[in-house]
Amino acid sequence: MILIVDSGATKSDWIALDEKGKQLFLTQTLGLSPEVLTREVIEDRLANNFELSKNRETVRQLYFYGAGCGTDRMKNFLKEIFKDFFPNAKAEVREDTYAAIYATTNIGRQGIVCILGTGSNCSYYDGHQLMQKVTSLGYILMDDGSGNFFGRKLLRDYYFHKMPQDLGIKFAKEYNLEADVIKENLYKQPNPNTYLATFARFIIENKEHPYCKGVIEKGLQQFVNNYIMQFELATKVPISFVGSIAHFLQDELKACLERNDLILGVIRRRPIEGLVEFHQQTI
């Protein structure tokens, strides 16, 4: 059995294939980001999934593409966990940017590939290798244009009384905005980045409101300035996106790219389908 995994900060999509590339099952776990989760939490999330637990000894190959897997330390950390949980499997761990590339860009074709979901990232692909100029420092310092970026912006503007009153009332009705609840989730619970990203739904659902429209436009432009424009060929090659923010704000994203004379490639909400196609071709 072959397992292919696309793991974001919020959730992980798992697809199992047999040795001929036929799909056996599809399942999900919560996200398995090694930067924000302990070994115990990751092990629990694996063990609590029925399909993974039932088939753990039949897995022979695991291809894992995950958020927070950009360093050797994090890759080795996950490999040790997978070695114990899937005792007969050879595990390959790569950062989630590779999943985005394989899902949107043909081998041998140049392009810039971006992630806009719970977090954000951007890489240049020369047709064979991935290149990055900026090392991500995580959701506190970076992740421009992401779900947690917009969630943080909404909470700050609400508490600093910069959100229009009509929208602030609506915001408070949809979420528990008590300071103690927010601080509990940010500083004492796992996955604070995912918690922040839950507020992005509000800005998407109210994106026609002038305030939300302005926040979205500025956030996406900030992503373009800091991430895409770092590459010299930014205006020469197609720019593709994966992630929920890119999917639900694709009209705003397209407009932003047009204003910056950038070429839009592919937008995919989830890269897992493209990943499966890629690996089926290589079996």
Side-chain angles (χ1 to χ4, degrees), residues 66 94-102 113 115 121-123 130 132:
R94 287 188 165 187
E95 60 184 309
D96 52 354
T97 304
Y98 278 96
I101 288 172
Y102 295 152
V113 181
I115 296 172
N121 207 338
C122 180
S123 302
L130 167 73
Q132 288 184 325

Side-chain angles (χ1 to χ4, degrees), residues 158-269:
Y158 178 82
Y159 265 86
F160 282 123
H161 307 293
K162 293 183 178 180
M163 186 179 290
Q165 186 176 13
D166 63 322
L167 202 65
I169 293 172
K170 188 175 182 181
F171 191 45
K173 287 182 178 179
E174 294 195 22
Y175 296 93
N176 188 334
L177 299 179
E178 293 181 16
D180 287 342
V181 173
I182 293 172
K183 288 188 284 186
E184 169 75 19
N185 281 279
L186 289 180
Y187 304 116
K188 294 184 179 180
Q189 297 299 321
N191 297 101
N193 54 335
T194 302
Y195 169 72
L196 285 172
T198 61
F199 296 98
R201 174 181 59 81
F202 184 82
I203 206 168
I204 292 170
E205 292 176 349
N206 296 277
K207 65 180 185 178
E208 297 304 321
H209 190 286
Y211 163 83
C212 293
K213 188 175 293 186
V215 170
I216 292 169
E217 184 175 309
K218 290 178 181 177
L220 294 179
Q221 185 62 52
Q222 187 170 320
F223 179 83
V224 168
N225 293 343
N226 291 338
Y227 287 77
I228 296 176
M229 290 303 189
Q230 64 181 294
F231 298 110
E232 295 176 0
L233 293 176
T235 60
K236 307 296 184 183
V237 299
I239 302 166
S240 295
F241 296 83
V242 299
S244 56
I245 295 298
H247 172 76
F248 289 112
L249 295 180
Q250 57 184 284
D251 290 339
E252 292 75 15
L253 189 56
K254 290 174 183 176
C256 182
L257 264 61
E258 288 178 5
R259 287 194 300 271
N260 289 274
D261 295 321
L262 299 173
I263 304 166
L264 177 64
V266 176
I267 298 177
R268 270 192 162 173
R269 183 179 181 183

Side-chain angles (χ1 to χ4, degrees), residues 2-277:
I2 301 167
L3 279 180
I4 301 168
V5 192
D6 170 44
S7 178
T10 304
K11 59 179 173 26
S12 301
D13 291 318
W14 300 69
I15 289 184
L17 306 178
D18 65 16
E19 303 304 322
K20 295 182 179 180
K22 180 181 178 181
Q23 182 174 320
L24 299 175
F25 65 81
L26 167 66
T27 189
Q28 276 191 347
T29 65
L30 294 174
L32 302 178
S33 177
E35 286 186 333
V36 296
L37 299 175
T38 64
R39 181 185 180 105
E40 290 72 21
V41 171
I42 294 174
E43 289 174 338
D44 284 345
R45 292 184 177 184
L46 294 173
N48 288 332
N49 182 281
F50 174 75
E51 291 286 358
L52 298 182
S53 294
K54 182 178 70 172
N55 294 286
R56 58 193 298 265
E57 294 187 0
T58 62
V59 178
R60 295 294 181 266
Q61 183 71 56
L62 170 63
Y63 297 98
F64 184 92
Y65 302 86
C69 297
T71 66
D72 288 339
R73 185 170 66 89
M74 293 293 97
K75 291 176 185 176
N76 292 332
F77 171 69
L78 280 179
K79 282 182 179 180
E80 287 298 318
I81 296 174
F82 294 146
K83 182 180 178 181
D84 290 339
F85 192 81
F86 301 106
N88 300 311
K90 177 183 177 183
E92 292 187 22
V93 177
R94 287 188 165 187
E95 60 184 309
D96 52 354
T97 304
Y98 278 96
I101 288 172
Y102 295 152
T104 61
T105 308
N106 292 330
I107 300 299
R109 300 293 297 274
Q110 291 180 319
I112 291 174
V113 181
C114 308
I115 296 172
L116 277 179
T118 298
S120 65
N121 207 338
C122 180
S123 302
Y124 171 73
Y125 182 62
D126 69 358
H128 303 284
Q129 292 184 331
L130 167 73
M131 302 178 194
Q132 288 184 325
K133 285 189 176 182
V134 175
T135 300
S136 176
L137 297 177
Y139 76 98
I140 295 177
L141 295 177
M142 293 188 172
D143 277 5
D144 294 358
S146 69
N148 73 69
F149 171 90
F150 286 122
R152 183 168 61 247
K153 172 65 174 173
L154 290 176
L155 289 175
R156 284 175 55 84
D157 282 5
Y158 178 82
Y159 265 86
F160 282 123
H161 307 293
K162 293 183 178 180
M163 186 179 290
Q165 186 176 13
D166 63 322
L167 202 65
I169 293 172
K170 188 175 182 181
F171 191 45
K173 287 182 178 179
E174 294 195 22
Y175 296 93
N176 188 334
L177 299 179
E178 293 181 16
D180 287 342
V181 173
I182 293 172
K183 288 188 284 186
E184 169 75 19
N185 281 279
L186 289 180
Y187 304 116
K188 294 184 179 180
Q189 297 299 321
N191 297 101
N193 54 335
T194 302
Y195 169 72
L196 285 172
T198 61
F199 296 98
R201 174 181 59 81
F202 184 82
I203 206 168
I204 292 170
E205 292 176 349
N206 296 277
K207 65 180 185 178
E208 297 304 321
H209 190 286
Y211 163 83
C212 293
K213 188 175 293 186
V215 170
I216 292 169
E217 184 175 309
K218 290 178 181 177
L220 294 179
Q221 185 62 52
Q222 187 170 320
F223 179 83
V224 168
N225 293 343
N226 291 338
Y227 287 77
I228 296 176
M229 290 303 189
Q230 64 181 294
F231 298 110
E232 295 176 0
L233 293 176
T235 60
K236 307 296 184 183
V237 299
I239 302 166
S240 295
F241 296 83
V242 299
S244 56
I245 295 298
H247 172 76
F248 289 112
L249 295 180
Q250 57 184 284
D251 290 339
E252 292 75 15
L253 189 56
K254 290 174 183 176
C256 182
L257 264 61
E258 288 178 5
R259 287 194 300 271
N260 289 274
D261 295 321
L262 299 173
I263 304 166
L264 177 64
V266 176
I267 298 177
R268 270 192 162 173
R269 183 179 181 183
R270 298 185 182 93
I272 188 66
E273 295 88 356
L275 267 182
V276 170
E277 294 170 7

